[in-house]
Amino acid sequence: MNLPKVAPKALLLHFFPSAPPPANAPLTLSPYPDYFPLSQEEITLALSKSSNTSAPGPDTISYDVWKRVHRSCPALLTKLLSPMLHYVCHPASLKRANGIVLDKPGKASYDTPASFRVIVLLETLSKILERVVASRLSLMARHVGLLHPHQTGSLPGLSTFDATSTLTHEVRLLQRLGSKVSSLFLDIKGGFDNVDPGQLTSALRAKGAHKYLTAWVGSFLTNRMCRLLFQGSPRIFSPVAVGTPQGSPISPLLFVIYVSPLHPVIPKGIVISYVDDFVVTVSSSSHRRNVQLLQGHYRSLCSIAAPRGLTFSVPKTELIHWRTPQERSPPSKAGVRLDDLYFPPKDTVRWLGYWFTPPISKSTHFSKRLSLAQGAFDTIKRLSPPGKGLPPYLCHRLASSLLAPVLWYGVDLYTPLTKMQDKLDVFWHRVQRWVTNCFSSTLVPILAIEASPH
């Protein structure tokens, strides 16, 4: 990809807000008394969660190198990283990153920065320390009130299931009270790029987080450098303001801490979030009244988000008016108007990989999952036609790693009804016959045994 000479500056301004050059203030180091010594076990755990296939940063040192170093001399990395936390100085050499510029496929023109995307590669040594700090900070975050109880995602033990099950529980609970329930699905624009280091460290300080962790976060997020890499690029590091760096193990946690105030108390309602995906649920005597309430709560959320430099991606907004399975009245057509854009209620909303309908239909979700799995199967079965191609054990790996997660995603929240379960079984039997090359007349129990990995 050959870009004009003006491209680096244009791309930097597009993907990273402008930042002043790093200050040349004299460096003064003093130990923090509340620092807890770094242990070899923490380093070992951080390395165990790091993939050898991850691309390294500017120093080109992979995780595999650090793992070998740690095995041969366990004390080395501990002694190397401990002063960075004890004296709270994240070195400038570890704040550098490579930005790999890739073009977005299918664009009619590549004359603007919006036609490209950037993959940021950070220093692996820095990411080891970031993973350790993320572990320590996540343990403290709930205890000192840095996180809201309705936040999920990027937090230990909390997944998309927790967010979606909370949503469905609240909807059914409010419906049992005789109320009409509506939800507005929102997405924060820009996300990690808009985190302000000053406001984030102030929030950590106000909640009583350890001083050394608060100071390290401030050091980690400031005076960062990035160089964009593409054919003909000058390969020069430039100062950037990146919020929380893309690809950093600690960035998701810092972001959810930053957006925790965006969960106001709603009478007869709730605000739930999964990282940067929010859903605002309200209830009242009518769906039309719910629309008015949602518009008011949206304005309230915007007023909380604006001082933090956050905005919502309004065009991605979706509205749903929930119904009970027993309701027979015509569905409400009342839409919501946000920032001069009108959004009618949807018949189907996809949130966090789950499909939701007004009556919370299980069949709709699994019909969508089945369609996706069939599409994926049509693609991969070309790799192994009947009687030739890949050996069965590789076909089994493809089926278990690619098809099964697509097909069965959501069974933690939904249980397929009998007719839908039959459709899912028929499809999976097709997959098993492909894996084993069994005849179409082979009995299903025998087919299942043949398709098992043992």
Side-chain angles (χ1 to χ4, degrees):
M1 179 175 52
N2 199 359
L3 299 180
K5 292 182 179 180
V6 296
K9 184 177 180 180
L11 289 169
L12 278 171
L13 291 176
H14 176 75
F15 291 108
F16 309 107
S18 59
N24 293 321
L27 182 64
T28 57
L29 299 177
S30 57
Y32 276 68
D34 62 344
Y35 164 72
F36 186 78
L38 200 62
S39 68
Q40 295 179 15
E41 290 74 18
E42 287 179 295
I43 301 296
T44 301
L45 181 60
L47 285 171
S48 69
K49 297 180 179 180
S50 305
S51 172
N52 292 343
T53 60
S54 295
D59 64 9
T60 69
I61 301 176
S62 67
Y63 281 121
D64 182 56
V65 173
W66 294 121
K67 289 179 181 180
R68 295 185 183 190
V69 168
H70 190 60
R71 282 196 298 268
S72 60
C73 184
L76 180 59
L77 281 178
T78 306
K79 292 180 179 180
L80 184 63
L81 298 176
S82 290
M84 301 181 196
L85 284 182
H86 194 187
Y87 292 88
V88 185
C89 176
H90 202 68
S93 61
L94 297 185
K95 298 181 186 181
R96 303 180 306 167
N98 285 337
I100 311 299
V101 181
L102 303 174
D103 53 289
K104 296 179 180 177
K107 293 292 183 179
S109 172
Y110 293 91
D111 296 333
T112 63
S115 301
F116 301 89
R117 60 191 178 98
V118 172
I119 304 298
V120 178
L121 305 179
L122 307 176
E123 302 285 18
T124 51
L125 180 61
S126 175
K127 291 170 75 173
I128 295 171
L129 182 60
E130 292 161 34
R131 204 175 289 278
V132 171
V133 176
S135 177
R136 291 187 174 190
L137 189 57
S138 65
L139 290 174
M140 177 196 308
R142 291 284 188 194
H143 178 69
V144 300
L146 286 168
L147 300 171
H148 194 276
H150 297 155
Q151 284 183 286
T152 60
S154 303
L155 301 171
L158 295 175
S159 65
T160 55
F161 166 73
D162 297 279
T164 53
S165 61
T166 301
L167 173 62
T168 54
H169 170 79
E170 292 295 329
V171 168
R172 290 306 192 207
L173 180 63
L174 292 169
Q175 287 177 332
R176 288 192 185 98
L177 298 176
S179 300
K180 300 292 185 181
V181 187
S182 304
S183 292
L184 190 67
F185 296 84
L186 300 167
D187 181 73
I188 292 182
K189 185 178 181 179
F192 294 4
D193 295 339
N194 295 317
V195 173
D196 180 78
Q199 293 197 47
L200 178 59
T201 53
S202 295
L204 293 172
R205 198 176 299 113
K207 293 293 186 178
H210 289 317
K211 293 180 180 179
Y212 82 93
L213 288 178
T214 302
W216 181 89
V217 168
S219 175
F220 169 70
L221 294 179
T222 53
N223 297 332
R224 300 196 66 88
M225 308 283 285
C226 181
R227 65 179 177 187
L228 297 180
L229 301 180
F230 53 87
Q231 185 178 352
S233 65
R235 298 177 181 269
I236 298 173
F237 284 99
S238 302
V240 293
V242 295
T244 54
Q246 177 195 131
S248 168
I250 198 173
S251 287
L253 176 61
L254 295 179
F255 179 77
V256 296
I257 291 174
Y258 192 69
V259 300
S260 62
L262 272 67
H263 296 78
V265 176
I266 296 180
K268 295 184 179 180
I270 191 173
V271 177
I272 305 168
S273 70
Y274 184 89
V275 192
D276 59 350
D277 293 306
F278 281 67
V279 56
V280 183
T281 300
V282 298
S283 64
S284 69
S285 58
S286 69
H287 288 129
R288 190 167 297 278
R289 172 58 180 161
N290 287 346
V291 166
Q292 298 173 353
L293 293 174
L294 288 171
Q295 290 175 159
H297 290 309
Y298 171 75
R299 290 191 292 269
S300 176
L301 285 175
C302 289
S303 66
I304 299 173
R308 292 168 172 78
L310 300 173
T311 57
F312 292 98
S313 183
V314 179
K316 296 181 180 179
T317 301
E318 293 183 295
L319 169 70
I320 191 169
H321 294 313
W322 304 102
R323 295 164 58 86
T324 64
Q326 294 76 28
E327 281 190 71
R328 295 293 180 265
S329 59
S332 173
K333 300 297 183 182
V336 64
R337 185 172 294 278
L338 307 176
D339 298 345
D340 297 326
L341 293 177
Y342 178 77
F343 300 93
K346 291 288 191 70
D347 294 326
T348 304
V349 171
R350 183 184 183 184
W351 192 58
L352 306 181
Y354 297 78
W355 272 273
F356 294 96
T357 60
I360 313 183
S361 168
K362 304 173 183 179
S363 297
T364 300
H365 171 81
F366 286 109
S367 294
K368 298 285 189 179
R369 301 310 308 184
L370 179 58
S371 178
L372 289 174
Q374 287 172 333
F377 182 49
D378 290 340
T379 300
I380 68 170
K381 70 180 181 181
R382 299 171 190 167
L383 299 172
S384 184
K388 56 183 178 179
L390 298 176
Y393 79 94
L394 289 180
C395 292
H396 181 274
R397 286 187 182 181
L398 284 172
S400 59
S401 61
L402 295 180
L403 299 181
V406 172
L407 182 65
W408 302 115
Y409 185 89
V411 292
D412 48 4
L413 180 67
Y414 297 123
T415 301
L417 300 177
T418 303
K419 289 185 178 180
M420 179 53 63
Q421 182 65 58
D422 291 341
K423 293 181 181 180
L424 298 174
D425 289 340
V426 168
F427 168 74
W428 196 246
H429 294 158
R430 284 179 54 210
V431 174
Q432 289 177 323
R433 296 185 194 281
W434 171 74
V435 168
T436 60
N437 274 324
C438 285
F439 294 111
S440 59
S441 59
T442 303
L443 297 178
V444 170
I446 298 175
L447 179 65
I449 294 173
E450 286 293 322
S452 66
H454 304 294

